[in-house]
Amino acid sequence: MNRESQLNSEQASNNKLQSRKGWKLLAIALGACVILSACGNDNSITSEEGEKQSAEQTSNTNKEGESTSTEQNSGSEASAMVTPDNFVDTLMKGSKEEIYRQFSPQMKEAITFEQFQTTADEFLEGVTSLDQVFAAEMNNLTEFAWKDQTGTKGIQAYFTEANQIDGMLTKPLESHEDTDQKFTKTEFHFPLKGEWYVFWGGNDVMSNYHYEHETQRYALDIVRTKESFSFNGDAKVNASYYAFGEPLYAAADGTVVEIKNDIPDNTPGVMNPEEPAGNYVIIDHGQDEYSITAHIKKGSVAVKKGDKVKQGDLIGELGNSGNSSEAHLHFQVSDGPDLFTARSINIRWADQSQQLTRGNTIQALPES
């Protein structure tokens, strides 16, 4: 999260092509989709590089995409259908026109075929193989991710149920082994109860977009899902999201050092970059370790500055405040209380039997 971040759904429509360290963004979730939670760490990171799609717009895109994709791939073109299974072979050895043909209308508005072909060719320089490392479905879109043989290049693509391609991006992959191996001295418990889905989490940018930023490297974004959906009902209503209003608990003993409790919850799909963290609770756990729980529901913070808390004490309710497009938890531990300058620390969890990495469903605190 950054005070200067201008991560919003408009950028997903207006930003045509970004270049970062010589890498060109193909496109991701342009126009039709907005991001889950915009916690980017500097304003050179756009929503296209950051996060995934809101349920409502993804759902609508899929409905439109089914007919479009069916039309595009009828008759003689049906045999040329690009699917997740043949995407890599088509990209590396086949016709890039076949891939571009299945781009959603919003993708085609954002990038011409010539731009796509040039960018794809640049990405593929030196690439001899791409291995799938991730596949997960949510809200009618399935994301697939691949890494090259060196582990230094990655590509992600989003497919609708009708195999329309609704997003794509390339990323340079860098590791930070020095900090990956340094864990908190404090042992933390997951700050929610029940079953939860790790949307962003892990030690690379393919699984955790926070990773390239020192201030958020080991942050987690967590949602609640049922049958691969994060909501049920009207996607413009916060109460439709399974995560909204769920109780939040202190992850370890400590002293509350900062809170915010008056930021309104967003209408899903509309974000608040002026207050990126939204409502939050920051707890000092000693030994220069501070947990930061963000995007809390307005008015639900149950503690005040100076309170002593025990692990498991109620601290608020999960919400959709700040630079967030749907209800979710942003949780991290840092070496200072300032969200924008302190360095993120890899978290030592009390339960080490579960992997808090992207795409995993985890069992949190037992529900009473």
Side-chain angles (χ1 to χ4, degrees):
M1 304 174 201
N2 190 307
R3 297 177 181 89
E4 298 177 355
S5 292
Q6 296 300 317
L7 308 183
N8 52 46
S9 54
E10 272 188 85
Q11 285 180 305
S13 298
N14 297 334
N15 289 342
K16 300 297 184 180
L17 203 64
Q18 290 284 337
S19 175
R20 181 175 173 80
K21 296 179 182 177
W23 292 67
K24 293 183 179 178
L25 189 66
L26 299 182
I28 177 172
L30 295 170
C33 308
V34 295
I35 64 183
L36 167 68
S37 61
C39 302
N41 197 52
D42 66 56
N43 59 3
S44 66
I45 300 300
T46 69
S47 58
E48 295 151 325
E49 293 172 299
E51 317 209 2
K52 204 169 173 203
Q53 299 75 7
S54 75
E56 176 208 9
Q57 292 183 324
T58 299
S59 176
N60 291 342
T61 299
N62 183 59
K63 293 174 183 176
E64 296 171 0
E66 287 188 21
S67 59
T68 303
S69 184
T70 300
E71 292 170 8
Q72 289 175 335
N73 293 283
S74 62
S76 61
E77 293 181 357
S79 60
M81 169 83 72
V82 177
T83 68
D85 289 337
N86 64 25
F87 172 80
V88 167
D89 282 343
T90 306
L91 180 69
M92 296 183 68
K93 304 172 186 177
S95 168
K96 294 181 180 61
E97 288 181 303
E98 293 176 10
I99 295 176
Y100 189 79
R101 187 184 300 131
Q102 286 175 223
F103 277 16
S104 67
Q106 292 81 5
M107 291 272 287
K108 289 179 178 177
E109 286 178 10
I111 185 171
T112 67
F113 171 70
E114 290 74 20
Q115 289 172 323
F116 165 67
Q117 186 173 41
T118 298
T119 301
D121 288 342
E122 290 178 357
F123 169 76
L124 290 170
E125 288 180 8
V127 174
T128 59
S129 64
L130 288 166
D131 296 320
Q132 184 175 310
V133 294
F134 181 81
E137 179 184 358
M138 184 180 293
N139 299 338
N140 282 336
L141 275 186
T142 304
E143 177 199 351
F144 297 85
W146 299 265
K147 289 182 182 179
D148 80 334
Q149 75 283 356
T150 68
T152 61
K153 293 183 178 183
I155 185 167
Q156 293 166 277
Y158 296 83
F159 286 79
T160 69
E161 289 182 334
N163 284 321
Q164 187 174 68
I165 298 171
D166 235 13
M168 192 182 301
L169 63 82
T170 62
K171 282 182 175 288
L173 304 180
E174 300 178 18
S175 63
H176 299 279
E177 295 180 4
D178 55 337
T179 54
D180 289 351
Q181 303 305 316
K182 294 179 181 179
F183 290 85
T184 58
K185 299 179 181 69
T186 306
E187 213 172 53
F188 289 88
H189 295 256
F190 200 72
L192 295 161
K193 289 184 177 181
E195 187 176 271
W196 292 85
Y197 180 83
V198 182
F199 197 94
W200 291 115
N203 290 358
D204 64 70
V205 294
M206 300 290 282
S207 57
N208 190 358
Y209 88 100
H210 304 97
Y211 183 74
E212 62 183 317
H213 307 293
E214 190 176 33
T215 59
Q216 292 187 60
R217 182 158 295 154
Y218 305 105
L220 297 167
D221 282 345
I222 307 292
V223 297
R224 173 160 272 181
T225 61
K226 294 182 181 180
E227 298 180 346
S228 299
F229 276 83
S230 61
F231 77 108
N232 181 39
D234 187 346
K236 293 184 178 179
V237 176
N238 279 314
S240 297
Y241 290 81
Y242 298 120
F244 190 77
E246 286 293 310
L248 290 161
Y249 302 94
D253 297 355
T255 302
V256 177
V257 292
E258 295 289 346
I259 69 162
K260 184 165 284 190
N261 197 27
D262 59 354
I263 305 300
D265 289 285
N266 305 319
T267 299
V270 179
M271 297 180 290
N272 181 2
E274 300 301 318
E275 294 284 349
N279 301 306
Y280 57 80
V281 172
I282 301 176
I283 300 174
D284 179 359
H285 301 282
Q287 306 180 93
D288 296 323
E289 296 176 353
Y290 299 78
S291 66
I292 300 167
T293 304
H295 305 315
I296 296 176
K297 180 180 176 183
K298 179 184 178 182
S300 74
V301 172
V303 293
K304 62 184 183 297
K305 188 173 179 179
D307 282 355
K308 304 288 185 181
V309 295
K310 293 291 186 181
Q311 185 274 317
D313 285 352
L314 181 71
I315 62 171
E317 296 177 9
L318 198 152
N320 187 30
S321 61
N323 220 19
S324 166
S325 67
E326 72 171 80
H328 75 285
L329 166 70
H330 176 102
F331 183 82
Q332 68 180 81
V333 177
S334 299
D335 63 4
D338 190 325
L339 182 60
F340 306 104
T341 60
R343 292 169 297 181
S344 176
I345 310 171
N346 213 348
I347 299 170
R348 185 185 307 279
W349 295 101
D351 180 1
Q352 297 185 26
S353 66
Q354 303 185 96
Q355 295 295 316
L356 273 73
T357 55
R358 181 158 166 74
N360 284 344
T361 298
I362 62 167
Q363 294 292 332
L365 298 172
E367 293 185 285
S368 54

